[in-house]
Amino acid sequence: MGDNSVKPITKHDESNKPKEEYVHSVFESIADKYDIMNDITSFRQHKLWRNFAMKKMNIEPGNTAIDLCCGTCDWTISIAQASETGHIVGLDFSESMLQVGQQKVNQKGLDNQITLVQGNAMSLPFDDNSFDYATIGFGLRNVPDYNQVLKEMKRVVKPGGMVVCLELSKVTWQPFKGLYNFYFSKMLPMIGKIIAKRYDQYKWLPESVALFPGREELAEEFRKVGLVQVEAYPLTGGIAALHIGIKESQNV
């Protein structure tokens, strides 16, 4: 524990689909600026959203989890710290993002607790009923088939386990909606161009949110895949939303 070297990342083949290829290229290109851009573009609200999610999850020592689309591993690390001793898997399809994440994992001395896997969220390389939690933070809108990802998350959690999604959503409250949409669609790409030297990648971000279901629609998708006790929480005026669902205990 505490080894500062970057471990080789376990690889798993991912399917080749146009959206996957584009999204992969986006995250490969912004990996080194991803964390600072998250802070700037969300006004650091993403940290508060994640803290809220962690309170609702109520992780206990020894709990296991898989964090899909883990990126640079901020949530993966938070889950591991809450679990204390439970094995945590972080999975992402971008090797560049995982390399940044692995450095953070090593710096926290969690490299014996956290395993990072390069793989496809729509086809998880894990057995049924493997984890207490399956989480995905700001990644569900980026996959080609979010329904399939939810099914996979449900499959790999144990009966009684929790599926958790933290994602950008659609603001519905006026006049905040108009102000935020202007910032998100017009100003954010310019910030991306200045800070991360990437314009098109951050212009794509609001487009991806526009195509994604709103809070209530996503809650219904949770129910469609068979999750129960579904809860949906709007965050910061609806900029983001937390969704939680439970895998029924009798489904073994």
Side-chain angles (χ1 to χ4, degrees):
M1 186 175 292
D3 180 6
N4 289 324
S5 63
V6 177
K7 291 181 177 180
I9 295 167
T10 306
K11 294 193 176 184
H12 175 68
D13 290 338
E14 57 185 280
S15 59
N16 295 315
K17 293 187 177 181
K19 181 175 180 178
E20 278 185 302
E21 292 174 358
Y22 178 71
V23 175
H24 182 269
S25 68
V26 167
F27 286 99
E28 285 287 290
S29 68
I30 66 174
D32 60 336
K33 299 292 185 181
Y34 181 79
D35 288 337
I36 189 172
M37 283 299 296
N38 269 359
D39 283 347
I40 292 171
T41 59
S42 75
F43 302 99
R44 296 181 68 87
Q45 290 297 297
H46 70 101
K47 297 179 185 293
L48 298 179
W49 300 336
R50 191 164 57 246
N51 289 341
F52 178 80
M54 291 294 291
K55 289 179 181 178
K56 291 296 180 182
M57 290 166 67
N58 194 28
I59 297 171
E60 297 181 352
N63 283 162
T64 59
I66 180 168
D67 184 25
L68 276 61
C69 303
C70 65
T72 59
C73 296
D74 280 348
W75 201 1
T76 320
I77 289 170
S78 294
I79 293 168
Q81 290 172 331
S83 171
E84 297 180 4
T85 57
H87 183 225
I88 311 300
V89 172
L91 180 141
D92 201 285
F93 67 169
S94 169
E95 186 170 6
S96 295
M97 297 285 277
L98 287 172
Q99 291 288 347
V100 175
Q102 186 70 67
Q103 293 174 6
K104 291 158 82 171
V105 168
N106 292 343
Q107 289 167 2
K108 295 289 185 180
L110 296 170
D111 43 307
N112 284 345
Q113 187 184 358
I114 295 174
T115 301
L116 299 187
V117 177
Q118 185 179 4
N120 182 4
M122 297 197 301
S123 181
L124 299 177
F126 298 97
D127 294 335
D128 297 357
N129 310 321
S130 294
F131 302 96
D132 296 304
Y133 294 86
T135 62
I136 185 165
F138 310 107
L140 192 60
R141 74 184 187 284
N142 296 326
V143 301
D145 186 345
Y146 54 80
N147 183 269
Q148 174 61 23
V149 172
L150 291 175
K151 288 178 180 177
E152 280 291 275
M153 294 174 77
K154 178 192 171 191
R155 179 182 67 80
V156 300
V157 295
K158 301 171 184 176
M162 185 179 289
V163 172
V164 185
C165 174
L166 186 58
E167 185 56 270
L168 296 177
S169 191
K170 293 180 173 68
V171 178
T172 58
W173 176 58
Q174 292 286 15
F176 182 57
K177 177 180 178 180
L179 292 171
Y180 179 75
N181 286 346
F182 175 78
Y183 163 76
F184 199 45
S185 62
K186 303 297 182 183
M187 296 183 65
L188 186 145
M190 294 305 298
I191 295 172
K193 182 177 181 180
I194 294 168
I195 303 296
K197 312 303 181 186
R198 295 289 187 275
Y199 177 81
D200 288 342
Q201 288 83 347
Y202 284 93
K203 183 175 181 294
W204 167 82
L205 179 58
E207 293 171 359
S208 71
V209 174
L211 296 171
F212 193 67
R215 184 177 76 255
E216 293 303 324
E217 290 82 2
L218 186 55
E220 186 58 31
E221 293 298 324
F222 267 56
R223 297 183 186 101
K224 284 181 181 178
V225 301
L227 293 166
V228 298
Q229 300 177 42
V230 176
E231 299 175 349
Y233 301 91
L235 304 171
T236 315
I239 292 175
L242 173 68
H243 287 77
I244 294 173
I246 304 296
K247 179 173 179 176
E248 288 188 283
S249 295
Q250 63 264 34
N251 291 345
V252 294

